[in-house]
Amino acid sequence: MPIRIPDALPATAALESENIFVMTEHRAMHQDIRPLQLLLLNLMPTKITTETQILRKLSNTPLQVEVELLQMATHAAKNTAADHLEAFYTTFDAVRNRHFDGLIITGAPVEKLEFEEVDYWPELCAIMEWSKTHVHSTFHICWGAQAGIYYHYGVPKHALPEKAFGVFSHDLVKRTSPLVRGFDDRFWAPHSRFTEVRATDIETHPDLELIAVSDEAGVYVAKSTDSSNFFVFGHPEYDRETLRAEYDRDVARGEARALPAHYFPGDDPAAAPEATWFSHAQLLYTNWLNYYVYQTTPYDITRAGEKEGADEHGHRSEA
């Protein structure tokens, strides 16, 4: 089914060229179904790239999905043109009185800072607090996952001795979770971070459950037991060339950086990377949208955010 995005968004042409069903605003206005309302808080510096990557993953959904892009008002973006932000992004003040079926909070290259040292931390906290009552389910990515699990559940992050950088093999801890329905017993996913959360902190928290881990990269997926919050500590949305671009950027800056692990065939940076994570990445987003957003969100959008407990499959009782 289609994803609905603004007609002129740069991602539109890229997705259409990949034969992904994109519905423009003009066409969507003539349909009589209620689309899922998703808000994408994009904290990444390369916003257009991140928009395209995540919208690609949201494209295979059971219903029409309408996505709005959110930026931080308290942080000046340096790597995205102001006219793009003005044309396609909104701010929290403009949406704080609305309700959404889903919220996605991306990563950000700030994990070496303490959370409270990030210039937009107070605004991000306000958004995460608002999500408790105005969003049905929130999907956090990488640093966004570390920030979310710290804010909502007090789970700290810890510095790694060296950057977790590459594509790593993972095992399912909870195979029965609908979030990983269709996953292979072992699957691959990209990571790019200097910090981690620890499995023991998640396993001992009564409101959290561990879903997938890596022997090399640590925790990959966790969620809240009431299915209101999902935490993905890698970057399943990454394109084939994203890790190469990050490696080349760091080398150009003069930073010592090991090659991304399990990424270049034969560890040869001149070789074309092998994409070994695309299938699981698509399933991860599709399962979240299907089982934890579409199937459980109230039809009345103004009731999104009412959470009165969930069963094993993420289905919440409705008031």
Side-chain angles (χ1 to χ4, degrees):
M1 294 298 289
I3 180 171
R4 173 181 166 181
I5 54 181
D7 298 28
L9 191 71
T12 303
L15 297 177
E16 287 179 336
S17 71
E18 299 170 24
N19 293 320
I20 289 174
F21 189 1
V22 175
M23 179 174 287
T24 62
E25 290 178 310
H26 176 76
R27 181 174 178 183
M29 287 172 61
H30 296 85
Q31 293 205 330
D32 292 329
I33 60 174
R34 181 177 87 72
L36 293 178
Q37 303 286 323
L38 296 187
L39 189 63
L40 171 57
L41 174 54
N42 191 351
L43 303 176
M44 292 291 278
T46 52
K47 296 196 185 304
I48 294 176
T49 297
T50 301
E51 292 159 16
T52 305
Q53 290 173 346
I54 294 179
L55 291 174
R56 181 180 292 117
K57 295 298 179 280
L58 296 175
S59 63
N60 186 21
T61 59
L63 282 178
Q64 184 187 141
V65 180
E66 181 172 345
V67 180
E68 294 189 52
L69 304 177
L70 181 65
Q71 65 172 319
M72 306 304 289
T74 52
H75 177 78
K78 301 176 182 178
N79 298 283
T80 304
D83 58 351
H84 180 83
L85 296 174
E86 183 176 352
F88 299 113
Y89 279 76
T90 188
T91 61
F92 180 48
D93 281 344
V95 300
R96 67 166 65 241
N97 293 323
R98 294 172 55 194
H99 294 254
F100 290 85
D101 300 298
L103 168 66
I104 297 174
I105 301 177
T106 74
V110 294
E111 68 263 33
K112 289 184 177 180
L113 299 174
E114 295 298 327
F115 292 120
E116 293 78 8
E117 294 175 350
V118 176
D119 61 356
Y120 52 78
W121 180 248
E123 184 181 7
L124 180 58
C125 288
I127 293 171
M128 291 189 291
E129 184 65 25
W130 165 86
S131 73
K132 294 178 181 180
T133 55
H134 288 73
V135 176
H136 186 67
S137 185
T138 301
F139 190 95
H140 307 72
I141 304 169
C142 201
W143 181 83
Q146 295 182 357
I149 206 167
Y150 172 71
Y151 178 80
H152 290 293
Y153 304 101
V155 176
K157 64 182 175 74
H158 302 272
L160 290 168
E162 59 183 24
K163 185 178 184 180
F165 187 46
V167 184
F168 300 95
S169 176
H170 298 75
D171 296 297
L172 296 176
V173 175
K174 188 173 183 180
R175 300 174 188 274
T176 59
S177 173
L179 185 66
V180 292
R181 187 163 291 165
F183 275 38
D184 293 329
D185 290 344
R186 290 194 140 224
F187 62 94
W188 295 82
H191 290 256
S192 180
R193 51 183 167 78
F194 291 93
T195 54
E196 67 171 354
V197 299
R198 294 174 178 166
T200 52
D201 290 335
I202 295 171
E203 291 174 315
T204 57
H205 197 293
D207 298 324
L208 295 171
E209 55 185 359
L210 196 61
I211 304 296
V213 299
S214 166
D215 289 340
E216 288 186 85
V219 175
Y220 178 53
V221 179
K223 63 180 285 292
S224 62
T225 55
D226 70 355
S227 301
S228 61
N229 288 294
F230 292 78
F231 306 102
V232 179
F233 297 97
H235 281 286
E237 78 282 359
Y238 269 10
D239 292 332
R240 182 190 306 269
E241 297 289 336
T242 306
L243 289 174
R244 183 204 291 276
E246 291 186 2
Y247 174 75
D248 290 344
R249 176 202 63 198
D250 292 347
V251 170
R253 291 174 176 173
E255 298 178 14
R257 178 76 61 236
L259 286 172
H262 316 300
Y263 179 60
F264 293 114
D267 281 340
D268 178 4
E274 295 181 345
T276 56
W277 64 94
F278 285 0
S279 295
H280 112 269
Q282 184 60 66
L283 268 177
L284 185 64
Y285 278 87
T286 300
N287 286 347
W288 172 66
L289 279 174
N290 182 24
Y291 296 113
Y292 300 99
V293 183
Y294 165 60
Q295 292 193 22
T296 63
T297 194
Y299 184 80
D300 180 358
I301 190 65
T302 64
R303 291 182 56 210
E306 292 182 7
K307 302 176 179 69
E308 299 186 3
D311 64 18
E312 171 66 15
H313 300 287
H315 300 124
R316 298 191 179 93
S317 60
E318 297 293 338

